[in-house]
Amino acid sequence: MKVFVVFGSASDDNVSQPLVESLKPVCDSVEFQVISAHRNIDRLHDKITNWQGDAIVAGAGLAAALPGVVAALTPLPVFGVPVASQFGGLDSLASIAQMPPGVPVLACGPDKTDAIALFLDQWKAAQATAIVHFVVPEGIDAAGIIEKARPAAKDKGLTVTSSNAPDAAAFNVYLVAGAEDIRSQAFGLHVPFFKTEDAADPKNYLAVLDWTKRGGLWVGANNTRNAVHAAARLQHHKAEGKRNAA
Ligand code: RP5
């Protein structure tokens, strides 16, 4: 597996360098560069559009545009690392995870880079599947947001299913309404779940910050569409046999 790691600043080295070390046992090739989305946009465009490999990991602090810009420039799976420089990384987490539908970034919690090496290791071993299975906590009515994911899934040749338990034959997406719903060691993605009125209250995003610190990879709140788009990038790359051996 060939992975490119890009961070917004050398001042993020305290996070980027342990990440690179954690990826080396999992990947055949790990390339690292500092390229800022805000300061070096032309160089970033050239690098990302010409780079060939399996996945890109992008990290930054503050207004962390880098992972989202990278995801807009490549069809590859993109992992995002919020750097906790201020507010415990709340600013960079929201910048990275709260992407518009269609441009998915799989974000770890602020500075919680171990989740990425674990995910990549599990991805290597996973079978390709065309099923995206939403795991819905007991007592949660998620029918509306799951319905929203169906057109994107159909467009990508994927099928959406849901139940209260994971499906071993599917790519599992865990809806999280409380910390007990997090499956930080399981292969899959997390989607923070909020009722519409609760998603209007800014204070509730603090719960997401807390949840992501417990591990796992995350897309935006209620953003089932980006869970499907992320699954599509992962499955397409695997099914097409595009993984690079060296
Ligand atoms: C972000 O701004 C970087 O990723 C870093 O976390 C922060 C500060 O960057 P420097 O001014 O230290 O280069 O884009």
Side-chain angles (χ1 to χ4, degrees):
M1 180 177 290
K2 185 177 172 190
V3 172
F4 177 53
V5 179
V6 58
F7 269 68
S9 172
S11 68
D12 301 323
D13 278 359
N14 62 315
V15 178
S16 64
Q17 295 315 297
L19 164 67
V20 167
E21 291 309 312
S22 76
L23 295 177
K24 284 180 182 169
V26 174
C27 305
D28 303 295
S29 161
V30 182
E31 180 186 347
F32 171 77
Q33 284 190 28
V34 170
I35 311 176
S36 163
H38 297 112
R39 296 162 173 157
N40 319 112
I41 187 68
D42 292 339
R43 187 152 69 87
L44 181 69
H45 182 277
D46 285 353
K47 179 67 188 179
I48 299 303
T49 54
N50 289 308
W51 189 80
Q52 296 194 347
D54 298 300
I56 299 177
V57 183
L62 304 180
L66 183 64
V69 171
V70 169
L73 292 172
T74 179
L76 294 173
V78 175
F79 299 83
V81 179
V83 174
S85 43
Q86 287 186 325
F87 305 109
L90 180 66
D91 47 1
S92 42
L93 173 66
S95 300
I96 291 170
Q98 293 285 100
M99 287 293 293
V103 191
V105 175
L106 292 75
C108 63
D111 298 352
K112 296 288 180 187
T113 56
D114 285 356
I116 296 173
L118 175 63
F119 186 97
L120 290 177
D121 206 26
Q122 292 168 327
W123 184 39
K124 279 197 302 190
Q127 297 294 316
T129 172
I131 303 169
V132 178
H133 183 74
F134 288 94
V135 182
V136 183
E138 297 282 352
I140 296 294
D141 179 5
I145 64 165
I146 291 174
E147 214 45 49
K148 277 191 173 178
R150 290 191 198 281
K154 191 174 175 201
D155 185 50
K156 299 290 179 186
L158 300 173
T159 303
V160 166
T161 60
S162 66
S163 76
N164 298 130
D167 177 352
F171 180 76
N172 287 294
V173 178
Y174 305 101
L175 299 188
V176 176
E180 65 279 6
D181 304 323
I182 300 166
R183 314 267 182 138
S184 60
Q185 300 305 304
F187 182 55
L189 266 183
H190 297 83
V191 178
F193 173 85
F194 291 96
K195 291 181 199 159
T196 307
E197 60 271 29
D198 293 338
D201 185 341
K203 287 195 298 295
N204 285 332
Y205 204 71
L206 292 172
V208 179
L209 177 66
D210 175 59
W211 295 340
T212 64
K213 285 182 185 168
R214 296 166 188 248
L217 292 173
W218 300 76
V219 293
N222 291 351
N223 202 336
T224 52
R225 286 177 286 178
N226 266 358
V228 164
H229 283 289
R233 289 189 184 208
L234 290 160
Q235 299 308 332
H236 179 73
H237 196 69
K238 184 173 266 283
E240 298 284 307
K242 289 179 181 167
R243 289 230 335 266
N244 289 271

